[in-house]
Amino acid sequence: PLYNYDLMASSNSDTKKKRPWKKPREEKGPLEGDLDSVTSLTSRDEKTKDVSILDIIEIDGSILEGGGQILRNAMALSCLLHKPIHVTKIRAGRSKPGLRPQHLTGIRLISEVCQGTLTGDIPGSTDITFVPGTITSGYYTADTQTAGSICLLIQAVLPCVMFAKDQKMKINLRGGTNADMAPPIDYMIKVFKPMAERAGVKFDCSVIRRGFYPKGGGEVILTPVITGVVSSFEFMNKGDIVDVEIESYTAGVIPIRVSHQMASAAQNLLQKHINRVPIKFNTIRLSEQQAFGNGSGIMITARTSTGCIYGGSANGNKKDPSEKTGRDAAEELLRSLEGNACVDEHLQDQLIILMALANGKSKVKTGPITLHTRTAIYITELLTGVHFNIQSVDGTDDHIIECDGIGFRI
């Protein structure tokens, strides 16, 4: 049955309170500072000039997924909706709690893009306050200085830059294009991008250089196409699989045969489960100009007759044979193709903000609801006031997510 999926722990009136402001501190470098330092919350924008009388939305960063996703979603929506936020207990459940370089880079980028003011943006901090300003077009650079995921930086900033006031927006992102615990840049380009375009979200994503764990060194140019509105969308009909594409690559001292081994192992497994569908594969040896350091990986995409796109990926590592890396990517794709879901588990939570911002009702058929999706729904409901409904599909693990968006515009 259809039920209201309201994950808010309390009403908006219970989640807001006024906070005192402290004196300014001296400006620090990208990763400098200490946990006792506090940044001035003096506003750079007319609307937030008198910040001392604004209600700050309080967010518990340890709830549900309890990781960096809460911060990314909260910062993006705060930026768009001009709602100041105070996030506490950031990554409290992780082995190394608090802000890591990747999270610092993402939240500082959002703050810079909207000329906002940020407090607590120092390594290890579990508490930040953000007062947004006005989104300003320009050329921005964000460098994690590690192998921190560029894809997660894109997830954080893209909702903001879609609503810039003109087309003069370009962002240079540096870090890991192929990082652990995050989709590779290939996923953003081959799966998220074409699916998001069906909601009117358009952007270019140019890979200048790949960077692998643990050194990073990758570089990507993100250029949003400013439309100023998100269209409502429906992904409800899976259709039939029409083609599968495998792309595997190696860089540095990793020989090209590793690419062939990953692709062959993936192809052999997929052919046992996907009948009468062409499976293409492409093996690539990346040059020194195309990749920094040593690394390998594989990306597999499947397309259907209705335009649905699914992805499976894996990064090579020292402990596993290359054949296992190929099979891992194939198994991830096959899990997504089970049932009648129209999106894979990685795309599922990335669509939540778009559904809330869209003009009209959006509907998506998914597989099991992931913890990341539950977290995205919680934060999005808290900041936008929308409500998500989830309906389970009888006799299956599939679900239908519905949301009547706020029709956000510039």
Side-chain angles (χ1 to χ4, degrees):
L2 193 68
Y3 62 90
N4 179 261
Y5 195 73
D6 186 359
L7 288 172
M8 292 177 60
S10 58
S11 67
N12 283 345
S13 61
D14 293 332
T15 58
K16 299 180 182 179
K17 71 177 182 180
K18 296 176 183 177
R19 296 186 56 77
W21 311 114
K22 298 186 179 181
K23 294 180 180 179
R25 68 169 167 87
E26 183 181 351
E27 289 266 330
K28 300 289 184 180
L31 295 177
E32 296 176 352
D34 58 72
L35 290 174
D36 296 324
S37 300
V38 182
T39 305
S40 171
L41 285 177
T42 304
S43 174
R44 302 170 193 170
D45 184 84
E46 186 68 27
K47 292 182 180 179
T48 57
K49 192 173 283 185
D50 192 5
V51 294
S52 63
I53 63 171
L54 290 176
D55 285 335
I56 305 297
I57 298 177
E58 299 286 342
I59 299 173
D60 182 347
S62 68
I63 202 165
L64 294 170
E65 186 268 340
Q69 184 196 22
I70 292 175
L71 206 55
R72 289 190 294 274
N73 290 171
M75 286 286 296
L77 289 170
S78 170
C79 170
L80 286 173
L81 302 173
H82 292 275
K83 293 184 178 182
I85 58 172
H86 176 222
V87 187
T88 60
K89 302 178 185 176
I90 295 169
R91 303 181 68 249
R94 298 298 193 260
S95 58
K96 293 182 179 180
L99 295 171
R100 307 296 294 164
Q102 174 182 294
H103 310 110
L104 284 167
T105 305
I107 65 177
R108 286 173 175 170
L109 175 60
I110 291 175
S111 182
E112 185 181 4
V113 162
C114 73
Q115 305 299 297
T117 320
L118 198 54
T119 300
D121 54 325
I122 48 181
S125 173
T126 59
D127 185 312
I128 64 107
T129 303
F130 175 55
V131 179
T134 300
I135 298 172
T136 305
S137 295
Y139 186 91
Y140 298 91
T141 298
D143 188 349
T144 67
Q145 302 177 32
T146 67
S149 171
I150 289 176
C151 263
L152 297 184
L153 292 180
I154 295 174
Q155 284 183 26
V157 77
L158 183 61
C160 308
V161 298
M162 292 187 313
F163 293 96
K165 292 184 177 180
D166 59 55
Q167 298 289 346
K168 298 176 182 178
M169 177 73 81
K170 188 170 288 190
I171 304 175
N172 183 298
L173 301 167
R174 300 172 187 175
T177 58
N178 297 75
D180 289 343
M181 308 300 292
I185 193 64
D186 313 81
Y187 184 90
M188 185 62 63
I189 295 170
K190 295 185 176 185
V191 180
F192 177 80
K193 184 176 184 290
M195 293 292 279
E197 285 177 350
R198 294 169 65 177
V201 176
K202 299 179 180 180
F203 62 94
D204 291 323
C205 195
S206 302
V207 180
I208 306 303
R209 181 175 58 252
R210 286 182 183 269
F212 300 90
Y213 178 84
K215 292 185 177 181
E219 183 176 1
V220 172
I221 303 295
L222 174 67
T223 308
V225 178
I226 312 301
T227 59
V229 66
V230 177
S231 304
S232 59
F233 53 92
E234 288 195 4
F235 301 150
M236 292 295 295
N237 183 8
K238 178 181 178 180
D240 300 318
I241 301 171
V242 293
D243 69 70
V244 176
E245 181 180 328
I246 301 170
E247 184 171 279
S248 58
Y249 38 83
T250 57
V253 300
I254 312 298
I256 186 63
R257 71 170 182 273
V258 170
S259 291
H260 293 293
Q261 289 165 350
M262 290 188 293
S264 295
Q267 185 183 43
N268 291 339
L269 180 57
L270 291 171
Q271 285 176 334
K272 295 177 181 178
H273 299 273
I274 302 175
N275 298 319
R276 298 182 296 278
V277 174
I279 300 178
K280 309 170 189 174
F281 72 83
N282 185 24
T283 56
I284 301 172
R285 180 76 170 87
L286 299 168
S287 69
E288 290 184 4
Q289 290 73 37
Q290 294 173 311
F292 178 80
N294 307 319
S296 63
I298 181 170
M299 178 74 203
I300 312 173
T301 53
R303 300 174 185 271
T304 74
S305 55
T306 59
C308 296
I309 307 173
Y310 309 79
S313 63
N315 294 324
N317 61 77
K318 293 180 179 179
K319 66 177 183 178
D320 293 327
S322 51
E323 290 84 359
K324 182 180 185 303
T325 303
R327 287 193 296 270
D328 286 346
E331 287 170 358
E332 182 177 74
L333 178 68
L334 290 171
R335 286 195 299 272
S336 298
L337 295 175
E338 292 175 358
N340 292 302
C342 296
V343 299
D344 61 37
E345 62 178 325
H346 299 298
L347 186 61
Q348 188 186 113
D349 65 276
Q350 294 181 53
L351 294 176
I352 297 303
I353 285 183
L354 300 185
M355 295 175 78
L357 297 175
N359 182 26
K361 180 176 284 189
S362 297
K363 236 171 141 176
V364 178
K365 183 182 285 187
T366 76
I369 304 299
T370 67
L371 185 58
H372 278 87
T373 297
R374 294 179 186 276
T375 305
I377 288 175
Y378 171 75
I379 295 298
T380 303
E381 286 189 333
L382 178 64
L383 287 168
T384 65
V386 301
H387 291 280
F388 284 83
N389 293 320
I390 292 184
Q391 180 181 4
S392 58
V393 179
D394 290 343
T396 73
D397 290 330
D398 294 338
H399 296 77
I400 296 171
I401 305 176
E402 293 180 310
C403 177
D404 196 353
I406 62 176
F408 183 80
R409 290 178 179 273
I410 296 174

